[in-house]
Amino acid sequence: MASISTHSAALSGSSASDLLRSSSNGFSGISLRDLAKVRFNPRRKDMTVSAKVRKVKKHEYPWPADADPNVKGGILTHLSHFKPLKETQKPVTLEFEKPLVLLEKKINDVRKMAQETGLDFSDQILSLENKYRQALQDLYTHLTPIQRVSIARHPNRPTFLDHVFNITEKFVELHGDRLGYDDPAIVTGIGTIDGRRYMFMGHQKGRNTKENIRRNFGMPTPHGYRKALRMMYYADHHGFPIVTFIDTPGAYADLKSEELGQGEAIAHNLRTMFGLKVPIISIVIGEGGSGGALAIGCANKLLMLENAVFYVASPEACAAILWKSAKASPQAAEKLRITASELCKLQIADGIIPEPLGGAHADPSWTSQQIKIAINETMDELLMMDTEELLRHRMMKFRKIGGFQEGVPVDPKKKLNMKKKEVPVVRKTKKVPIGKTPVQQLEVQVEKVKQQIVKAKESSTGQPDLVLNKMVQKLKKEVDFEFSAAVKAMGLNDRLATLREQFSKANSPDQLIQPALKGEIEKLRDEINLGLFKAPNYENLRKKLDMLKDLSQFKALSARDVQETSLKQEINKKFAEVLSQPNVQEKYEALRAEIENSGASMYSDLDPELRKKIDNVKKEIQGELVNALNSLGLDVEVLTSKAQVLSEQSSLSLFKPKIEMLNEEINQGINSVVSRTDLKDKIELLKLEVAKAGKTPDATSKNRIWALEQQIKQSLAAALESSDLKKKHETLREEILETAESGFDPKEGDSSVYDDGDARIQMNLGAEHTFA
């Protein structure tokens, strides 16, 4: 920069007004007229001419020197000003999320305590995590409108460019409106999704304070809307479908914007969008405020993220106008009906895009994929329309806003019930295990089911079989879940899945299980049995398995009790029918009169003919009762009580030597199995664990001892089952049963000698008689 020093006499005669004027050449305080009078004399010593170079910032080109040619979105992505943040965004907790933060702090404290002390707090941590997940689900399932507004304004919520770079394979940003300057609050560009080219445009907020100031907090000026208008004409000319993303509090309402024609720019966009011959989709990803949002929102389909809002006036502004206080904003948000579900009922929005629990900022990439799916599905529908149908579809969408159309009568059903049932939104259940219930809660539920069954049995109001079966199924799912988690913790999940797949193929009718596959299955089973007690959730698995066994036994006993009670009632009913028959009553009364007339007090004092007559009547009644029981499907056998008992005792005494011999063989087989090296090692390990545990073993020692005992029992059972001892046991058992059923006593030769005329009825209800 040049500077000239002059003598003070050269400026004499200048007026004050001349000195206050500024020249265009950068001389401040000197008029051009006086400057022209100055003569430059290089020989004068009192005059010097000097030049200074101003230091300016070197121009930084957006294209880096070491540009990566394989960058996602293509090499032109380097031209975008939108770069990944160098610093991590700070977590922001909303007011209604504070209870969740307290729970999360408790979980972290317990984990820290477990690391410092070395103690096992897995149950407490699991209980707190389940409580946290349940609280998170309950909170985000029943959000109020003002809470959804807070989520839509969350500082960490993904922006337009975040979504665009997640869903596009290539994206090139286009700048400028060719009239003024490039407004960074609105971003436009061309990108591809699954090979299909789109024109993208949307409001861009900042991800931190510096970016928000640069992007003007997502509030566009007229230059931004004119840039969007230019790109709309460009897309319409080349046939690119348009996808707009809405996320703005509203258009920037300062004096300069009004001077530049903010209203005219918005109105021009509204008029132009209704005449574009390409499909248009608008997606509200945050908040859509007033005309600033509608300027790029006149689309064929308007979709909204689950926690997005779309309004004419913000809840705070509405509350300040109607209630004279911004504190009434929750009430205003509810009355304005600005949420996605409410706007779908009013037919303003055409669909809801789900968000993960916690909002879009909890998992931005998953949210972006849901947006991508919605764009593809909606665009497939719109591209099926021709130009005239597309323009009419866009016009009719805005003509029927609110469910009404000019000149068309309202459906009477809509008059009666304007509120439609809200369509449930499919949520992401990431890191939320399905079917995972704390052990304590399951114990309470099982006990409650047992009490319900007992009460129902006592009151004879019927048995709640549905509740019992439902609880058993739930316990089965819990056990399967815990077992899968334990196998996964041991690192055997992939092997188990592979073997299951191979087994399913080999188990088909035209395939046989190969010995190698059987060996692999047995090897994996042994590994799981050995390492199962070391799994972090082993205690939960064991407790849930015990509860399942207990409830299954309870169910079986309860079913048997019900069956027996029902059978008793049917038998009593049949007996009453038999005894109430007229011929039986006549015979009984006649026999009773003869006994009274005889004057005898004991059966032995009766006349032999009368005793014979009594026996005949008893046999007739017995026959009637047997027929009645046979009609119920029961196998009935009439036995003489004393003779049968003595006969069975005498017949079983013959098999005593055989039983003792078989027991000796079984003991020898057990000793031979125990002497094996692998089983001997397990027994020694069991002894060592018992010695280490002492008199008061802890939970871990109990689990190890129990696991070793089960392994030893399984090994013994497998060894004995493979030998011929089981076959001998079955043969001896059948011989004993056949002898007992025949009622033959070799000592006496005939069981009738024990017959004293007193018979009993034995009913075979299908119960198994086992011999050990």
Side-chain angles (χ1 to χ4, degrees):
M1 182 177 179
S3 63
I4 300 178
S5 300
T6 59
H7 197 271
S8 59
L11 301 177
S12 58
S14 301
S15 62
S17 60
D18 290 336
L19 292 174
L20 292 175
R21 297 191 185 101
S22 297
S23 69
S24 60
N25 290 328
F27 293 93
S28 183
I30 304 175
S31 65
L32 293 175
R33 185 174 55 191
D34 291 336
L35 188 61
K37 297 178 181 179
V38 179
R39 294 182 180 180
F40 294 91
N41 188 357
R43 296 180 180 180
R44 291 184 57 176
K45 296 180 180 180
D46 55 349
M47 182 177 178
T48 58
V49 178
S50 61
K52 295 181 181 179
V53 179
R54 185 178 62 182
K55 292 182 179 181
V56 296
K57 188 177 181 181
K58 186 179 179 182
H59 182 69
E60 294 180 356
Y61 291 93
W63 195 300
D66 54 346
D68 183 6
N70 299 318
V71 69
K72 185 179 182 299
I75 192 67
L76 294 179
T77 308
H78 291 292
L79 292 173
S80 175
H81 297 291
F82 187 81
K83 304 297 180 184
L85 286 174
K86 295 180 180 179
E87 71 280 356
T88 306
Q89 287 181 300
K90 295 180 180 180
V92 177
T93 304
L94 302 176
E95 186 67 28
F96 63 91
E97 293 178 327
K98 288 184 178 179
L100 297 176
V101 176
L102 295 177
L103 276 174
E104 195 172 0
K105 186 176 181 299
K106 284 183 181 179
I107 295 172
N108 294 332
D109 291 343
V110 174
R111 283 178 178 165
K112 186 177 179 182
M113 188 186 301
Q115 291 177 355
E116 292 176 351
T117 59
L119 299 175
D120 185 14
F121 291 101
S122 57
D123 289 342
Q124 290 83 349
I125 294 173
L126 192 62
S127 176
L128 287 172
E129 286 178 346
N130 288 330
K131 191 175 180 181
Y132 175 83
R133 285 191 287 267
Q134 189 62 41
L136 179 66
Q137 188 169 3
D138 292 342
L139 178 62
Y140 276 86
T141 308
H142 305 92
L143 288 171
T144 61
I146 195 64
Q147 288 172 347
R148 293 193 187 274
V149 173
S150 301
I151 298 172
R153 296 172 177 172
H154 199 284
N156 298 339
R157 192 171 178 84
T159 62
F160 160 57
L161 286 175
D162 288 317
H163 291 307
V164 165
F165 282 111
N166 279 337
I167 66 178
T168 58
E169 296 91 24
K170 294 181 180 180
F171 179 74
V172 179
E173 186 176 343
L174 303 175
H175 301 271
D177 64 342
R178 301 297 186 266
L179 295 173
Y181 71 100
D182 181 33
D183 186 1
I186 282 190
V187 175
T188 60
I190 300 174
T192 59
I193 299 177
D194 296 337
R196 186 183 287 169
R197 194 175 290 107
Y198 297 95
M199 173 64 74
F200 293 97
M201 57 186 67
H203 303 96
Q204 177 63 28
K205 287 184 176 179
R207 296 166 292 177
N208 51 36
T209 305
K210 184 177 179 181
E211 283 192 9
N212 267 321
I213 293 173
R214 181 174 176 271
R215 302 281 183 182
N216 200 28
F217 294 87
M219 294 184 289
T221 62
H223 297 286
Y225 293 117
R226 287 170 182 144
K227 175 169 67 172
L229 180 66
R230 186 173 75 88
M231 298 308 166
M232 289 176 195
Y233 283 128
Y234 184 86
D236 190 48
H237 177 73
H238 292 283
F240 298 156
I242 299 173
V243 181
T244 68
F245 288 74
I246 298 172
D247 187 15
T248 179
Y252 192 48
D254 68 331
L255 182 60
K256 189 69 175 176
S257 296
E258 295 300 329
E259 290 176 352
L260 294 173
Q262 183 75 282
E264 184 272 341
I266 292 174
H268 198 173
N269 279 23
L270 297 179
R271 184 185 67 182
T272 302
M273 291 188 78
F274 279 103
L276 296 176
K277 300 175 183 178
V278 293
I280 306 175
I281 300 174
S282 291
I283 304 172
V284 185
I285 59 174
E287 55 178 337
S290 190
L294 198 60
I296 58 172
C298 296
N300 293 93
K301 294 281 187 178
L302 176 67
L303 308 178
M304 296 182 68
L305 285 181
E306 185 182 348
N307 295 315
V309 290
F310 200 30
Y311 49 73
V312 175
S314 66
E316 293 81 4
C318 179
I321 295 169
L322 297 181
W323 287 275
K324 310 300 181 184
S325 173
K327 293 182 180 180
S329 55
Q331 186 177 355
E334 185 176 355
K335 297 296 182 183
L336 284 170
R337 300 172 71 177
I338 58 178
T339 59
S341 58
E342 292 289 346
L343 292 173
C344 281
K345 292 175 187 177
L346 296 171
Q347 300 185 22
I348 295 173
D350 299 296
I352 301 174
I353 302 174
E355 295 184 25
L357 288 174
H361 54 279
D363 195 344
S365 60
W366 187 86
T367 308
S368 298
Q369 292 307 310
Q370 300 305 309
I371 292 175
K372 179 179 178 180
I373 293 169
I375 290 174
N376 285 333
E377 291 178 353
T378 309
M379 199 57 71
D380 289 340
E381 178 187 349
L382 295 177
L383 288 174
M384 296 294 291
M385 304 179 185
D386 56 19
T387 303
E388 293 183 3
E389 189 178 358
L390 195 69
L391 293 173
R392 179 169 178 78
H393 177 274
R394 196 178 306 151
M395 179 191 70
M396 295 305 297
K397 169 183 169 48
F398 286 87
R399 287 288 298 273
K400 68 177 183 180
I401 279 182
F404 299 96
Q405 279 182 257
E406 294 180 11
V408 178
V410 181
D411 188 0
K413 293 182 180 179
K414 289 187 178 181
K415 285 185 178 180
L416 292 174
N417 186 15
M418 289 299 294
K419 280 192 175 183
K420 294 183 180 179
K421 291 183 179 179
E422 186 172 350
V423 179
V425 178
V426 179
R427 297 180 175 276
K428 183 188 175 186
T429 56
K430 185 179 180 182
K431 297 182 182 179
V432 182
I434 299 173
K436 193 74 170 63
T437 310
V439 175
Q440 297 83 354
Q441 186 176 346
L442 280 175
E443 289 175 349
V444 174
Q445 292 176 1
V446 170
E447 192 62 32
K448 188 176 179 181
V449 169
K450 287 182 178 180
Q451 291 176 2
Q452 288 179 358
I453 295 172
V454 172
K455 288 180 181 178
K457 194 187 300 181
E458 291 175 354
S459 60
S460 300
T461 57
Q463 184 177 349
D465 292 332
L466 185 61
V467 178
L468 181 61
N469 294 333
K470 191 175 181 181
M471 193 66 210
V472 171
Q473 292 299 324
K474 183 177 181 180
L475 283 173
K476 286 181 180 178
K477 290 181 180 179
E478 292 288 338
V479 171
D480 291 342
F481 178 85
E482 294 290 353
F483 180 76
S484 300
V487 172
K488 188 175 182 181
M490 289 187 287
L492 303 174
N493 196 28
D494 295 337
R495 285 180 58 191
L496 180 61
T498 305
L499 285 177
R500 279 178 175 171
E501 184 178 356
Q502 293 177 1
F503 180 77
S504 63
K505 292 179 181 178
N507 203 25
S508 58
D510 55 343
Q511 294 284 341
L512 295 175
I513 300 178
Q514 299 177 358
L517 177 59
K518 188 176 180 181
E520 287 291 329
I521 293 173
E522 292 177 354
K523 184 179 178 181
L524 180 61
R525 183 189 63 188
D526 294 338
E527 288 184 26
I528 292 175
N529 290 336
L530 285 172
L532 193 60
F533 68 93
K534 296 180 182 179
N537 65 326
Y538 175 74
E539 189 66 24
N540 289 342
L541 173 60
R542 190 172 64 82
K543 290 180 180 178
K544 290 181 179 180
L545 189 59
D546 292 341
M547 281 190 281
L548 177 59
K549 291 179 180 177
D550 185 26
L551 196 62
S552 298
Q553 292 176 358
F554 188 83
K555 179 183 177 182
L557 292 173
S558 179
R560 194 174 72 179
D561 291 344
V562 172
Q563 185 181 3
E564 289 178 358
T565 303
S566 176
L567 188 59
K568 285 178 182 179
Q569 291 175 355
E570 291 181 3
I571 290 172
N572 292 332
K573 186 178 179 181
K574 286 291 183 181
F575 281 4
E577 290 177 358
V578 170
L579 296 176
S580 63
Q581 291 177 3
N583 57 342
V584 174
Q585 289 289 335
E586 290 176 3
K587 290 178 182 180
Y588 175 74
E589 292 296 336
L591 193 60
R592 181 180 178 185
E594 289 184 18
I595 293 172
E596 289 178 355
N597 293 332
S598 66
S601 59
M602 296 181 65
Y603 180 79
S604 57
D605 298 336
L606 292 173
D607 185 48
E609 293 183 1
L610 186 56
R611 280 191 292 179
K612 189 175 180 180
K613 195 173 183 180
I614 292 172
D615 292 340
N616 291 333
V617 172
K618 281 178 64 176
K619 288 180 180 179
E620 289 180 8
I621 296 175
Q622 270 185 0
E624 294 288 341
L625 294 176
V626 168
N627 293 332
L629 294 176
N630 286 334
S631 66
L632 295 176
L634 299 175
D635 296 332
V636 182
E637 186 179 358
V638 180
L639 301 174
T640 54
S641 59
K642 291 182 180 179
Q644 183 67 19
V645 172
L646 292 174
S647 177
E648 289 177 0
Q649 289 177 353
S650 60
S651 61
L652 290 176
S653 63
L654 291 176
F655 295 96
K656 189 174 181 181
K658 293 184 179 180
I659 293 171
E660 291 177 353
M661 188 180 298
L662 182 60
N663 285 334
E664 289 181 3
E665 291 184 12
I666 291 173
N667 291 331
Q668 290 176 2
I670 292 173
N671 291 330
S672 63
V673 174
V674 170
S675 61
R676 281 168 32 188
T677 306
D678 56 343
L679 196 58
K680 190 181 290 184
D681 293 340
K682 291 181 181 179
I683 294 173
E684 292 297 328
L685 185 60
L686 177 61
K687 291 179 180 178
L688 185 61
E689 288 292 340
V690 172
K692 284 182 181 179
K695 295 182 179 180
T696 57
D698 56 2
T700 307
S701 299
K702 286 181 180 179
N703 294 337
R704 291 176 180 172
I705 292 169
W706 184 84
L708 287 170
E709 288 177 350
Q710 295 298 319
Q711 293 172 22
I712 292 170
K713 289 179 181 179
Q714 289 176 3
S715 300
L716 287 172
L720 293 176
E721 191 172 329
S722 62
S723 64
D724 59 345
L725 291 174
K726 185 177 180 181
K727 188 176 180 180
K728 291 181 180 180
H729 174 268
E730 293 294 335
T731 305
L732 183 59
R733 179 174 177 271
E734 289 177 0
E735 291 179 6
I736 294 171
L737 289 175
E738 287 177 1
T739 305
E741 289 175 358
S742 65
F744 174 74
D745 189 352
K747 288 183 179 180
E748 302 295 333
D750 188 3
S751 61
S752 62
V753 297
Y754 301 104
D755 189 2
D756 61 349
D758 184 14
R760 65 185 175 90
I761 297 176
Q762 182 183 15
M763 291 171 292
N764 184 8
L765 299 180
E768 290 188 0
H769 302 281
T770 59
F771 175 78

